[in-house]
Amino acid sequence: MTRTLSFVFSSNREILEVDEMEANSFEFAPKTATDKYSLTYRNIYRNFRKSSIDIEISNSCGVSQTRKQTDLRDREILNRILAIAIQSLNREDCLDNLLLEIRQAIQTDRVLVYRFDRTWSGTIVAESVTAQFPTAIGCQIDDPCFREYYAQQYSDGRMRAIANIYAADLTDCHIKTLEQFAVKASLVVPITSDNGLLGLLIAHHCDAPRHWQIEEIELFKQLATLVSSILQHNISKQEQQSAVEYAQRLKQMTQIVQQAHSSSDLFDAVTTTVRQVFQADRVLVYRFVTDGSGIVVAESVAPGLPQTLNHPIDRFYRCESEIQQRDNRGVRAIANIYTAGLAMDRIDALEQFAIKAQLVAPIVSNGKLVGSLIAHQCHAPRTWQPIESDLFEQIAIQIGLALDRVALLEYRAAAAKQVQMRQQIALQLRRSRVQSEILTTVTDELKSALQTERVIVYRCDRGSTVIAESVTPGLPQALNHRLDDPLWRNNRTAYEQIGYARAMNNIYTAGLSDRCIHNLERFAVKSSLIAPILMQDELFGLLVAHQCFGFREWQQTEIDFCTQVAIDVGFALEQAQLQEKLAQIAQIVMRLDGNIPTTAQQPATEDKEHDATVAF
């Protein structure tokens, strides 16, 4: 025979009836349910029906009258709370209302929902508490012991009733946490879903210790199932809203990075906007440099916090981003630096800037790791949500793409500027008639054009001597110095090829011999750019730019520019050599003919004709 179950709603006394066989098939939908939410209603009823089947009122003679009354009361409580939950399902305060009903039903001082994140840290996302006791809503709790010992137990259905926190063999840190909220006794049951453990439903008794009855524990367990359905519904709504916000924010960031015309503009705009979007205390761009470390090149920071701009911080961020890129790990999220397993020297470095939590995402441009986008939380630890990590990673990707575009714009601008500078240098070389003037001109002009500390011309012969130099005051002079282990000796064949150049961003990582490094250190060289000077297809010497006050990553436009100038120097030296030979021939002719006025005019005419045929 088929029985009918009735559920009474509290507001309009509407009765929902369902055939028991139909209820067991999980196809139930209330008469008042809309199509939009019918699936959620069915899920709530399904979970409720599964959990409450064991408290059906029994007509057997073996059940005492007291137990019948308790079961009847519990069923009425469940029916009432189920009705309230379904009616307020679409309201923002649905879970709060539900916890209020639960707190009143079991007559305790506080009921809360503690929700886990992916690292088994958690946040109190809903609470009902009496007025005389402190609220716990929004508190974040990171308990390493829970991850290690209790997460799996609660996933397996563990429940815990503590009558007195001081007699329950709790750790001192656990007791201290409970004391913050005036807890004397607690009841904890897991909130589970098909995907595993979502959180905990917790009841606190604060007036005095309390011995929890079996019936109360069982009722609380049934209510946790209903809370699970409501929590999953809220999570689904939050994920939908977050997805919309995610798309809007990503679109906003894409527009910002696409409007930038230089890397500095790009970084300034990104750090400011990202800090606002993420409500973080600090957002910075950490750019790698050639010595294996890096420096902060842009920053947006909350007032009162220490600034990191232009500060090297430490090399951890480079290593971290290299690991992230290598292992395709995306964003590295640290909710609490003290519980993330970091080394003490690393924690000390972060404490200098008041960092409690952080996000780190690698920035890749032109297939190369160039830096990190970093967000800091400084006033307290922070559990970064998955959607925040995803958005942060996408922003870092957009920065990399924007850097590719900006680099192309900067390359074109730099190339156009250097064409102008090359023309000016070529004109100066054209006016020089002797070797010493040519070499003085090129060292002065190239030093100014590259904004570097030293430019030399290094003669590649048995003497191996610096024959021309332009150097910043205060640096050691290299003029007329001989180098025992010259750079060109092992690379002469390569240097004799037109257009060959060598850029060393860091002399210590360029594969040089110790002897060669020692020679460069004598002149404070950190980075160098070398281009061959050829005369009649033979190596005359090397045109060398030195960076001395720091390491330098030479750009391709600079390498091309230096190479072209070296070619122009070779042509100028050939022309000067030709002029010298013509002058010598003219002197010989004058002596033979004894006609100085006639023969003296001839070389000048030839010079003009030669000038007209040489292109710089």
Side-chain angles (χ1 to χ4, degrees):
M1 179 177 178
T2 301
R3 291 187 300 163
T4 299
L5 307 176
S6 298
F7 295 89
V8 182
F9 284 65
S10 59
S11 59
N12 56 10
R13 308 292 296 175
E14 180 181 38
I15 298 177
L16 303 181
E17 296 183 345
V18 60
D19 183 276
E20 183 179 31
M21 183 180 298
E22 184 181 0
N24 286 326
S25 68
F26 311 137
E27 292 298 324
F28 165 72
K31 296 177 181 179
T32 57
T34 63
D35 291 339
K36 183 177 180 180
Y37 297 106
S38 60
L39 180 59
T40 302
Y41 290 137
R42 286 199 300 269
N43 289 339
I44 290 175
Y45 179 77
R46 178 191 64 185
N47 291 335
F48 170 78
R49 178 63 183 162
K50 287 168 64 178
S51 64
S52 61
I53 195 71
D54 59 339
I55 61 168
E56 293 287 350
I57 297 177
S58 174
N59 293 320
S60 63
C61 299
V63 180
S64 68
Q65 187 65 29
T66 302
R67 178 58 187 271
K68 287 182 180 181
Q69 291 175 351
T70 300
D71 288 347
L72 179 61
R73 183 203 65 188
D74 290 349
R75 179 169 180 176
E76 289 175 349
I77 291 172
L78 288 168
N79 286 342
R80 185 180 73 252
I81 294 177
L82 174 63
I84 292 172
I86 293 178
Q87 282 189 323
S88 62
L89 186 62
N90 228 16
R91 294 171 51 179
E92 293 294 332
D93 58 355
C94 175
L95 194 55
D96 293 334
N97 291 337
L98 185 62
L99 296 188
L100 174 61
E101 292 293 329
I102 294 174
R103 182 172 65 80
Q104 292 175 345
I106 64 174
Q107 297 182 354
T108 193
D109 300 312
R110 181 189 294 110
V111 174
L112 59 86
V113 172
Y114 179 71
R115 181 182 169 189
F116 295 118
D117 60 19
R118 291 182 296 182
T119 64
W120 293 114
S121 297
T123 305
I124 297 173
V125 297
E127 178 191 40
S128 175
V129 61
T130 54
Q132 66 267 35
F133 295 110
T135 181
I137 190 70
C139 289
Q140 295 180 335
I141 302 174
D142 183 15
D143 185 358
C145 295
F146 183 88
R147 288 193 292 269
E148 186 173 354
Y149 300 110
Y150 301 119
Q152 187 58 50
Q153 295 182 26
Y154 278 111
S155 297
D156 295 338
R158 177 183 192 261
M159 296 182 294
R160 189 172 192 187
I162 299 176
N164 186 338
I165 65 170
Y166 299 105
D169 195 26
L170 301 179
T171 62
D172 291 341
C173 62
H174 193 174
I175 292 175
K176 193 172 183 179
T177 301
L178 293 174
E179 285 178 336
Q180 295 178 32
F181 306 107
V183 179
K184 299 294 190 302
S186 67
L187 177 58
V188 184
V189 299
I191 302 172
T192 59
S193 70
D194 292 339
N195 296 323
L197 184 63
L198 286 178
L200 302 173
L201 179 63
I202 303 174
H204 286 161
H205 211 67
C206 303
D207 269 335
R210 171 174 174 172
H211 181 71
W212 304 95
Q213 302 299 318
I214 296 297
E215 294 81 4
E216 293 173 330
I217 298 172
E218 186 60 32
L219 174 62
F220 204 58
K221 177 183 176 182
Q222 314 304 322
L223 292 169
T225 305
L226 181 57
V227 170
S228 173
S229 297
I230 302 300
L231 186 59
Q232 289 180 72
H233 175 70
N234 288 352
I235 292 173
S236 178
K237 285 177 60 179
Q238 291 172 1
E239 288 176 348
Q240 292 174 5
Q241 294 172 355
S242 297
V244 174
E245 293 177 2
Y246 176 95
Q248 291 174 343
R249 290 173 176 175
L250 186 58
K251 181 180 179 180
Q252 176 189 7
M253 294 303 307
T254 302
Q255 291 173 343
I256 289 173
V257 299
Q258 287 178 347
Q259 292 171 358
H261 296 289
S262 67
S263 56
S264 59
D265 291 343
L266 170 65
F267 295 149
D268 289 341
V270 165
T271 52
T272 301
T273 306
V274 171
R275 190 168 78 85
Q276 294 172 349
V277 168
F278 283 79
Q279 295 294 296
D281 294 323
R282 182 189 295 111
V283 172
L284 60 89
V285 174
Y286 185 73
R287 195 80 185 262
F288 301 149
V289 294
T290 54
D291 66 345
S293 64
I295 192 167
V296 178
V297 295
E299 177 187 40
S300 175
V301 61
L305 291 174
Q307 295 186 353
T308 65
L309 189 61
N310 297 323
H311 198 288
I313 303 183
D314 58 45
R315 301 187 184 189
F316 174 83
Y317 287 123
R318 184 184 188 103
C319 298
E320 179 67 29
S321 291
E322 287 174 346
I323 294 172
Q324 288 172 260
Q325 185 193 31
R326 182 194 67 203
D327 297 342
N328 194 27
R329 281 169 40 187
V331 174
R332 160 81 158 156
I334 295 179
N336 187 335
I337 65 170
Y338 300 105
T339 59
L342 302 179
M344 284 305 302
D345 59 340
R346 171 69 183 140
I347 292 176
D348 292 341
L350 295 175
E351 284 179 334
Q352 295 178 36
F353 303 100
I355 300 167
K356 300 292 192 303
Q358 67 177 15
L359 280 177
V360 182
I363 300 174
V364 178
S365 176
N366 197 25
K368 179 182 177 183
L369 184 65
V370 298
S372 297
L373 177 66
I374 304 169
H376 288 156
Q377 204 69 23
C378 300
H379 292 105
R382 173 173 176 173
T383 300
W384 305 97
Q385 300 304 315
I387 195 164
E388 292 176 324
S389 296
D390 293 342
L391 179 58
F392 201 71
E393 181 179 15
Q394 289 301 316
I395 291 172
I397 292 173
Q398 290 298 318
I399 293 173
L401 296 175
L403 282 177
D404 292 344
R405 182 181 58 80
V406 168
L408 179 60
L409 294 176
E410 291 177 342
Y411 179 88
R412 290 174 177 173
K417 183 178 179 180
Q418 286 167 358
V419 167
Q420 271 187 326
M421 290 190 293
R422 184 195 170 195
Q423 291 173 346
Q424 294 173 0
I425 294 174
L427 181 60
Q428 294 292 328
L429 294 175
R430 190 186 188 97
R431 293 170 179 170
S432 303
R433 296 299 183 181
V434 296
Q435 176 177 300
S436 59
E437 290 180 5
I438 293 170
L439 299 183
T440 299
T441 297
V442 73
T443 53
D444 289 343
E445 295 293 331
L446 188 60
K447 178 176 178 294
S448 175
L450 291 179
Q451 295 291 297
T452 192
E453 282 87 54
R454 182 190 292 113
V455 172
I456 63 172
V457 173
Y458 182 76
R459 186 76 165 93
C460 292
D461 56 16
R462 292 183 180 180
S464 305
T465 305
V466 176
I467 60 175
E469 179 184 35
S470 178
V471 62
T472 299
L475 289 173
Q477 295 186 355
L479 187 62
N480 298 323
H481 278 268
R482 298 177 61 183
L483 302 179
D484 297 330
D485 189 9
L487 297 174
W488 61 270
R489 186 158 295 167
N490 295 329
N491 297 279
R492 184 176 189 115
T493 302
Y495 281 130
E496 287 175 344
Q497 301 174 17
I498 295 177
Y500 177 86
R502 183 179 185 185
M504 289 190 295
N505 299 329
N506 185 339
I507 66 170
Y508 300 103
T509 59
L512 303 178
S513 67
D514 293 340
R515 188 175 184 180
C516 189
I517 290 175
H518 175 71
N519 286 332
L520 293 174
E521 286 177 335
R522 291 164 51 200
F523 303 103
V525 179
K526 299 288 194 305
S527 305
S528 64
L529 177 57
I530 310 164
I533 301 172
L534 303 180
M535 284 183 62
Q536 298 175 354
D537 297 330
E538 292 186 0
L539 185 64
F540 168 83
L542 303 176
L543 181 61
V544 185
H546 285 161
Q547 195 76 14
C548 301
F549 294 142
F551 297 96
R552 177 167 177 171
E553 186 173 353
W554 301 99
Q555 303 302 309
Q556 188 59 47
T557 54
E558 296 171 331
I559 298 171
D560 295 341
F561 175 65
C562 190
T563 301
Q564 292 299 321
V565 171
I567 293 172
D568 292 341
V569 172
F571 287 151
L573 290 174
E574 288 178 2
Q575 177 178 302
Q577 188 180 68
L578 176 61
Q579 294 296 333
E580 184 180 353
K581 289 181 179 180
L582 290 175
Q584 292 173 356
I585 292 172
Q587 291 293 331
I588 294 173
V589 171
M590 284 188 292
R591 284 197 298 269
L592 292 175
D593 293 347
N595 188 354
I596 296 177
T598 303
T599 57
Q601 296 174 359
Q602 184 65 27
T605 303
E606 292 178 357
D607 285 349
K608 291 180 180 179
E609 292 176 355
H610 183 74
D611 287 346
T613 59
V614 177
F616 289 93

